[in-house]
Amino acid sequence: MRKLIYHVAASLDGFIAHEDHIVEGFLNEGDHATEYLESLKNDYDTVLMGRKTYDFGLQFGVTNPYPWLKQYVFSSRQDITEPNISVISSDPSEFVTRLKAETGKSIYLCGGATLATTLLENHLIDEILVKINPVLFGTGIGLTRALPAFLALELKSCKTYANGVLLVHHIVKPKLNA
Ligand SMILES: NC(=O)c1ccc[n+]([C@@H]2O[C@H](COP(=O)([O-])OP(=O)(O)OC[C@H]3O[C@@H](n4cnc5c(N)ncnc54)[C@H](OP(=O)(O)O)[C@@H]3O)[C@@H](O)[C@H]2O)c1
């Protein structure tokens, strides 16, 4: 069974974007950014995005954000015409369960919070990698939406970069009755 890894940037206070979906305040240059891009190239062969995450790139004309990966966007709408994107309108958890059973590299969960929450609720996310940026948003879109119960994590590693970014890597502990 291959892993699903939620790999995301956040403010120190735990927000992945501002409420209006503007993403500003994160550091985009430095060793953490270089290593992140290398990781996207080497560690994964598939990326999952919620519709609103995919829409974020559209405002900059980016229709094919990760061309070297197999790209899935979860949406009830069928208006994405980019041939390199597969739109999934069926139940995300059933789809991801099947995807994880296929052979291949780890699966990159790009975001956003809504999709991540569904997959966390169904115990499908194995690891969470957060690039904690030295910035406070005060409000915004959190790493997850409301969860029905807490999920215990185990710290795997924590790396500090010279620019103040921390890369914090957790394993999601299996549910107790699993
Ligand atoms: N900081 C970072 O590294 C990072 C990374 C990724 C995203 N983001 C930010 O996160 C924000 C988006 O997060 P978000 O939580 O608002 O939205 P999201 O999870 O990206 O997308 C939500 C949409 O995806 C579809 N979807 C997701 N889960 C579903 C489910 N369980 N069942 C059916 N459809 C589902 C639906 O699309 P339809 O409405 O079309 O049916 C839903 O409206 C953006 O601002 C983006 O820039 C930040």
Side-chain angles (χ1 to χ4, degrees):
M1 182 75 68
R2 56 198 183 133
K3 289 178 187 167
L4 176 61
I5 302 178
Y6 185 27
H7 194 159
V8 70
S11 61
L12 178 64
D13 47 352
F15 297 107
I16 64 168
H18 298 275
E19 209 65 67
D20 54 7
H21 294 280
I22 288 178
V23 179
E24 59 181 26
F26 293 143
L27 299 176
N28 296 318
E29 290 179 3
D31 289 347
H32 79 286
T34 308
E35 288 176 22
Y36 166 65
L37 291 175
E38 281 170 4
S39 169
L40 292 191
K41 295 252 155 113
N42 299 328
D43 299 340
Y44 305 102
D45 61 14
T46 304
V47 58
L48 310 183
M49 290 168 271
R51 168 71 197 217
K52 290 180 183 165
T53 292
Y54 179 71
D55 281 354
F56 174 77
L58 289 184
Q59 63 188 303
F60 307 106
V62 179
T63 57
N64 186 18
Y66 306 102
W68 65 95
L69 300 175
K70 197 152 183 24
Q71 302 175 86
Y72 294 102
V73 173
F74 292 86
S75 176
S76 55
R77 289 157 44 187
Q78 293 292 336
D79 54 353
I80 297 174
T81 53
E82 165 60 48
N84 291 296
I85 301 288
S86 301
V87 177
I88 307 299
S89 49
S90 60
D91 179 66
S93 296
E94 284 177 16
F95 180 82
V96 171
T97 300
R98 281 198 302 276
L99 199 60
K100 287 181 70 176
E102 293 176 4
T103 51
K105 292 184 177 181
S106 293
I107 302 166
Y108 167 43
L109 172 58
C110 174
T114 307
L115 179 61
T117 301
T118 297
L119 299 175
L120 279 168
E121 281 173 358
N122 289 287
H123 302 276
L124 289 165
I125 298 182
D126 301 282
E127 298 183 10
I128 303 176
L129 267 162
V130 186
K131 291 165 281 175
I132 300 178
N133 279 248
V135 63
L136 294 170
F137 284 3
T139 185
I141 298 170
L143 269 181
T144 73
R145 304 290 183 180
L147 287 166
F150 72 83
L151 286 169
L153 307 174
E154 178 187 326
L155 182 66
K156 190 171 175 188
S157 65
C158 180
K159 184 168 181 181
T160 308
Y161 294 88
N163 61 4
V165 172
L166 292 179
L167 180 65
V168 184
H169 189 172
H170 284 93
I171 294 169
V172 182
K173 288 192 173 182
K175 59 181 171 181
L176 288 178
N177 59 354

